[in-house]
Amino acid sequence: MSAINERHEVELLWKAYKYEVMWHSQKSYDHIREMMKAHDAYNEVKEAICYALSIEPSQGSIINTFCHIWGYFKKFCRDSDIALFKKLKAQYEQGRIDDDTLIFFLYCMTMFYDITYLKASTLIQNYAIANT
């Protein structure tokens, strides 16, 4: 594979997995971002992603990712969407709902507002596959 093709492939890989990595570990997310800046090889980035996905997500990493992805919607969504986002975040922080509920909300928002970039994310795609 040529260097240009490998770089393109590693960028596609990171684009697909970055929010799922963030969901599992902010530290891994930051590390892989640095790997991307350093133009590390595809296999090295893939290995780092696999390692990150083996980490049990923390409440902090989940909330961070939930809020980060929410940023795609907050400027144009309805007031009712904002209220639901805040309610779900608070309920999750209180342990009253699980992380699947947060992903379901992000999935619904992604589909409703047709955010192509997020549709390509494994976090959203895996939710859709698991619930069909």
Side-chain angles (χ1 to χ4, degrees):
M1 180 182 320
S2 75
I4 293 172
N5 286 343
E6 181 172 357
R7 184 65 191 166
H8 178 70
E9 291 301 314
V10 76
E11 287 174 2
L12 289 176
L13 180 71
W14 180 233
K15 178 181 174 182
Y17 280 96
K18 70 185 193 176
Y19 295 123
E20 191 172 8
V21 167
M22 185 187 289
W23 190 268
H24 284 262
S25 168
Q26 181 67 45
K27 184 177 177 180
S28 290
Y29 175 86
D30 293 340
H31 173 71
I32 298 168
R33 281 187 62 208
E34 291 303 315
M35 292 176 75
M36 294 299 294
K37 290 177 188 175
H39 298 274
D40 283 15
Y42 180 90
N43 288 336
E44 292 170 346
V45 173
K46 184 176 179 181
E47 185 177 309
I49 289 171
C50 289
Y51 173 76
L53 298 181
S54 74
I55 298 170
E56 187 69 29
S58 68
Q59 184 181 42
S61 67
I62 290 169
I63 288 293
N64 178 55
T65 308
F66 184 65
C67 292
H68 184 91
I69 294 173
W70 169 252
Y72 283 92
F73 311 109
K74 69 180 182 182
K75 292 182 182 172
F76 55 80
C77 67
R78 302 169 298 195
D79 289 343
S80 60
D81 297 327
I82 296 168
L84 183 54
F85 164 78
K86 290 177 180 178
K87 180 180 179 180
L88 291 172
K89 182 177 179 240
Q91 287 178 333
Y92 179 76
E93 290 171 333
Q94 296 163 3
R96 295 175 50 210
I97 61 172
D98 63 13
D99 58 339
D100 281 344
T101 304
L102 300 182
I103 296 174
F104 177 64
F105 173 75
L106 295 173
Y107 171 81
C108 290
M109 293 291 289
T110 297
M111 296 305 147
F112 183 80
Y113 289 107
D114 195 27
I115 309 296
T116 304
Y117 187 76
L118 292 178
K119 285 180 179 179
S121 167
T122 58
L123 187 68
I124 299 300
Q125 289 178 355
N126 290 343
Y127 181 84
I129 290 168
N131 292 285
T132 52

